C-alpha cells in the first residue's frame, strides 16, 4: 500500500506498507479507490482487485496465465468524508501521486497500470494534469477508469482532463455501465451532470488521442462490482490493456 492519509501537508506525503517483494513481475497495477474508504477498506479493495485479476487471467487460460498477473499496489487516500470535502481531497492528491509515479518510473522502471474506481477517477484525472505539467507523460503504461465519478465531458478534448489525456504516452480506457445506479441517480442528482462511468464520453465532446470508451453494461450490474472476481469486467479489461 501507498498512503497519503494524514500526510498531505508533510514534506514526504506518501508512505509505504505491506510486502514489496514483487519477484520477477514485469509490471504493476496501482489501484486508486473511490469515496468512503478508510485504510482497512482501501486495503481490502486493492486485494479484491488482485483476486479479480487472477480470476480473469485464469478464465483467459494458458499455462502462464497465473504468472502473468501483475502485483497490485493500493493507493490509499482520505476519501472517508462527505462528498464535497472528498472531491477537494481527491484534487489535493494529484501532486503526491504524480510524485510517487515519477519516482517509481525512475527508480524501478516496471510499467505501471493505473486502475481507478469511482471518485478515484478524479484523483487520477488531476494526477494526469500534474504529470503533464511536469513533462512526465511517460510515467504510465495505461490508465483504466471503472465507474468513473467525474463529469462525462471532463475527458473530452475541451474538458478538465482532456488535454492531459491526449498528452499521455499511454492509452486511457473508460469502462462504463448503464446499470450503475450510484452514478445514474446519486451522482447525477448531486453534481447535476452525467458521469463518464455511466454512459461514457458526452456525445457533444471530442475524444482526445488515446481515449477509448468501453461499455461493460453486459458484465457490470452495479457500482461496486467492476473489479470483483467472477462478477465484474476485468476479463474484458485485460483483453484491452494487455500486460508487458
Amino acid at each position: 500500500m501507498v498512503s497519503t492519509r494524514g500526510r498531505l501537508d508533510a514534506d514526504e506525503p506518501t508512505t509505504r506498507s505491506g510486502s514489496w517483494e514483487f519477484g520477477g513481475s514485469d509490471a504493476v497495477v496501482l489501484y486508486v479507490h473511490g469515496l468512503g474508504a478508510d485504510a482497512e477498506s482501501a486495503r481490502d479493495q486493492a486485494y479484491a482487485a488482485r483476486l479479480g485479476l487472477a480470476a480473469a487471467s485464469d478464465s483467459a487460460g494458458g499455462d502462464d496465465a497465473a504468472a502473468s498477473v501483475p502485483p497490485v499496489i493500493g493507493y490509499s487516500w482520505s476519501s472517508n468524508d462527505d462528498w464535497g470535502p472528498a472531491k477537494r481531497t481527491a484534487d489535493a492528491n494529484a501532486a503526491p501521486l504524480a510524485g510517487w509515479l515519477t519516482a517509481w518510473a525512475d527508480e524501478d522502471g516496471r510499467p505501471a497500470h493505473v486502475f481507478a474506481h469511482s471518485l478515484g477517477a478524479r484523483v487520477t484525472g488531476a494526477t494526469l494534469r500534474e504529470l503533464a505539467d511536469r513533462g512526465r507523460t511517460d510515467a504510465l503504461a495505461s490508465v483504466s477508469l471503472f465507474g468513473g465519478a467525474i463529469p462525462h465531458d471532463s475527458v473530452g478534448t475541451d474538458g478538465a482532463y482532456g488535454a492531459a489525456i491526449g498528452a499521455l504516452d499511454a492509452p486511457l480506457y473508460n469502462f462504463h455501465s448503464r446499470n450503475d445506479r450510484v452514478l445514474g441517480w446519486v451522482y447525477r442528482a448531486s453534481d447535476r451532470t452525467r458521469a463518464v462511468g455511466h454512459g461514457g464520453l458526452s456525445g457533444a465532446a471530442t475524444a482526445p488521442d488515446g481515449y477509448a470508451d468501453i461499455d461493460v453494461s453486459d458484465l457490470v450490474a452495479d457500482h461496486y462490482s467492476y473489479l470483483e472476481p467472477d462478477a465484474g469486467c476485468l476479463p474484458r479489461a485485460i483483453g484491452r490493456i494487455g500486460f508487458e
Side-chain angles (χ1 to χ4, degrees):
M1 300 294 295
V2 176
S3 178
T4 60
R5 292 176 184 271
R7 300 182 58 87
L8 284 177
D9 295 328
D11 291 338
E12 175 49 66
T14 59
T15 185
R16 301 195 328 180
S17 63
S19 173
W20 288 75
E21 298 297 326
F22 296 155
S25 300
D26 296 326
V28 297
V29 166
L30 184 78
Y31 173 76
V32 186
H33 63 76
L35 180 70
D38 59 15
E40 182 177 2
S41 175
R43 184 176 64 249
D44 290 347
Q45 288 185 45
Y47 182 61
R50 178 64 174 80
L51 295 179
L53 282 171
S57 296
D58 287 344
S59 68
D63 295 336
D64 298 327
S68 68
V69 179
V72 174
I73 301 168
Y75 185 78
S76 182
W77 60 284
S78 297
S79 72
N80 48 330
D81 205 339
D82 293 334
W83 181 239
K87 289 196 293 184
R88 291 191 289 273
T89 302
D91 292 337
N93 270 268
L97 181 50
W100 189 90
L101 287 168
T102 54
W104 176 268
D106 293 341
E107 297 167 13
D108 185 283
R110 274 174 286 194
H113 300 266
V114 169
F115 282 14
H117 176 245
S118 192
L119 193 57
R122 186 173 180 121
V123 176
T124 302
T127 298
L128 295 184
R129 290 192 301 195
E130 181 71 20
L131 289 171
D133 289 345
R134 297 183 183 197
R136 290 308 306 267
T137 57
D138 62 337
L140 294 172
S142 74
V143 177
S144 296
L145 310 182
F146 298 91
I150 53 177
H152 66 153
D153 58 355
S154 66
V155 294
T157 54
D158 295 328
Y161 311 119
I165 293 170
L168 189 65
D169 298 338
L172 185 145
Y173 303 107
N174 175 49
F175 296 91
H176 60 92
S177 173
R178 289 285 185 181
N179 301 316
D180 189 331
R181 295 192 175 187
V182 169
L183 297 181
W185 293 90
V186 180
Y187 177 88
R188 188 171 181 181
S190 64
D191 280 30
R192 299 184 182 279
T193 187
R194 293 183 175 89
V196 74
H198 186 248
L201 176 66
S202 166
T206 301
D209 291 342
Y211 177 91
D213 271 329
I214 303 172
D215 191 342
V216 291
S217 300
D218 59 320
L219 297 175
V220 176
D222 56 56
H223 187 59
Y224 302 101
S225 60
Y226 288 87
L227 305 177
E228 288 295 316
D230 303 319
C233 63
L234 280 176
R236 187 169 297 169
I238 287 176
R240 292 300 298 265
I241 300 166
F243 291 114
E244 298 181 11

